């Protein structure tokens, strides 16, 4: 817990029964259900993605004020290119616009931004916007916010093994530590809690390596409707788990 006075979010979390001494250090989120949210509200799918962006903005702030150290969200998977071209293009534009719009606020709010994925396959202007975000926030010391974009867990492991081989290593150098050190963001601790919205009980190729011992929380709520009460609910569920890591 942060020293000094509790934040307003921490006060409400305490009332909800959250133990501020046992927060997940790293929370990962599969932000799913934007499309279904839009359909249910009689809107185009891209409207759902825009609402999803606003939800992300709110939840990042809540996580930061609660005292979570790392938030890693799934923004676009390597499989999402299979969607109709208009949706893919709309998502790329939305993410780029968001990256540019949020730059100043993220700097001011002491958020450090990282990205994870096969970035070189993204539109050049989006790559530039993401580099700007990372560079401009690299000195920030608050929450570390990682956007997984054009990300696949299998692709990440393949890329890590390729990096090992490119460095001239042979089979004897292939260890868990060596692979971990060559993931897209080796500086991140492994996630303690994985939240998936909109009810699906699957991983969808997210953080496969890092989630070996991550606790999973699935909520029926679609991502645009995920807010502070749901975040508290996820943390409470996490705090009720007994993590054994293979032991007793
Ligand atoms: C998640 O929402 C956001 C992305 C995959 C970019 P979806 O677009 O998958 O929403 P549903 O699953 O169709 O409802
Ligand atoms: C996972 O959601 C990807 C993101 C949230 C960015 P999907 O909606 O693509 O996953 P599936 O297709 O239901 O497995
Ligand atoms: Mg989905």
């Amino acid at each position: 817990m942060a020293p000094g006075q509790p934040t307003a979010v921490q006060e409400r979390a305490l009332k909800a029964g959250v133990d501020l001494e046992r927060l997940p250090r790293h929370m990962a989120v599969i932000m799913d259900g934007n499309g279904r949210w839009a359909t249910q509200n009689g809107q185009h799918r891209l409207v759902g993605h825009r609402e999803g962006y606003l939800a992300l903005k709110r939840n990042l702030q809540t996580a930061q004020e609660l005292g979570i150290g790392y938030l890693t969200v799934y923004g676009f998977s390597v499989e999402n290119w299979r969607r109709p071209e208009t949706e893919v293009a709309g998502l790329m534009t939305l993410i780029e616009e968001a990256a540019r719009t949020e730059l100043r606020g993220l700097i001011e709010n002491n958020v450090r931004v990282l990205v994870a994925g096969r970035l070189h396959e993204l539109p050049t202007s989006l790559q530039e916007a993401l580099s700007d975000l990372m560079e401009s926030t690299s000195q920030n010391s608050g929450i570390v916010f990682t956007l997984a974009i054009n990300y696949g867990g299998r692709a990440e492991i393949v890329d890590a093994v390729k990096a090992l081989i490119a460095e001239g290593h042979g089979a004897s150098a292939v260890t868990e530590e060596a692979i971990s050190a060559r993931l897209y963001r080796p500086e991140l601790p492994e996630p303690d809690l994985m939240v998936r919205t909109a009810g699906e009980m699957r991983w969808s190729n997210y953080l496969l390596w890092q989630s070996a011992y991550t606790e999973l929380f699935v909520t029926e709520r679609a991502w645009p409707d995920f807010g502070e009460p749901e975040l508290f609910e996820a943390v409470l569920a996490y705090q009720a788990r007994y993590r054994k890591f293979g032991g007793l």
Side-chain angles (χ1 to χ4, degrees):
M1 187 179 147
Q5 289 287 93
T7 64
V9 171
Q10 286 175 332
E11 299 267 18
R12 291 194 291 274
L14 282 168
K15 280 202 191 106
V18 170
D19 179 352
L20 297 176
E21 306 292 336
R22 289 175 53 244
L23 292 173
R25 182 171 176 224
H26 183 180
M27 183 168 114
V29 184
I30 303 178
M31 310 180 292
D32 199 16
N34 293 349
R36 278 163 279 175
W37 183 95
T39 306
Q40 276 156 20
N41 288 280
Q43 304 276 358
H44 192 272
R45 289 181 60 87
L46 281 171
V47 176
H49 292 312
R50 182 158 289 278
E51 285 301 318
Y53 152 48
L54 297 175
L56 173 56
K57 198 173 154 156
R58 292 192 298 269
N59 284 303
L60 171 59
Q61 185 159 358
T62 305
Q64 163 139 318
E65 287 178 26
L66 181 59
I68 287 174
Y70 300 81
L71 178 71
T72 300
V73 304
Y74 210 177
F76 192 88
S77 75
V78 290
E79 285 82 16
N80 286 147
W81 298 104
R82 294 177 188 153
R83 295 188 179 198
E85 222 177 288
T86 47
E87 178 162 345
V88 170
L91 276 166
M92 293 298 149
T93 306
L94 173 65
I95 298 168
E96 186 177 329
E97 272 177 22
R100 296 191 194 284
T101 308
E102 299 303 328
L103 179 73
R104 183 174 294 273
L106 290 165
I107 298 171
E108 281 167 8
N109 290 329
N110 199 22
V111 176
R112 183 160 161 233
V113 181
L114 299 174
V115 289
R118 287 187 169 159
L119 305 179
H120 59 279
E121 293 170 357
L122 295 171
T124 316
S125 56
L126 174 55
Q127 289 183 44
E128 284 164 5
L130 294 173
S131 297
D132 270 1
L133 259 186
M134 282 192 288
E135 273 165 39
S136 318
T137 62
S138 64
Q139 300 306 313
N140 284 353
S141 57
I143 191 168
V144 178
F145 168 71
T146 305
L147 177 68
I149 178 166
N150 196 24
Y151 175 88
R154 288 182 177 180
E156 181 177 39
I157 296 167
V158 166
D159 288 349
V161 174
K162 278 187 176 162
L164 257 173
I165 293 169
E167 290 164 32
H169 293 296
S172 63
V174 182
T175 61
E176 293 189 9
E177 291 71 25
I179 291 177
S180 293
R182 286 160 185 82
L183 298 175
Y184 297 134
R185 287 295 158 200
E187 65 269 56
L188 297 181
E190 290 176 3
D192 304 291
L193 170 64
M194 163 84 73
V195 173
R196 181 160 189 154
T197 58
E200 310 295 350
M201 302 273 188
R202 58 174 169 261
W203 248 258
S204 299
N205 203 9
Y206 192 41
L207 302 176
L208 297 182
W209 181 274
Q210 300 89 330
S211 292
Y213 275 101
T214 299
E215 297 292 333
L216 178 62
F217 176 82
V218 177
T219 170
E220 286 300 320
R221 224 168 262 262
W223 176 248
D225 289 332
F226 188 95
E228 187 180 283
E230 290 75 22
L231 203 152
F232 291 172
E233 198 189 332
V235 171
L236 282 168
Y238 166 78
Q239 292 184 337
R241 306 279 173 85
Y242 172 47
R243 303 180 81 188
K244 295 198 289 186
F245 299 100
L248 295 179

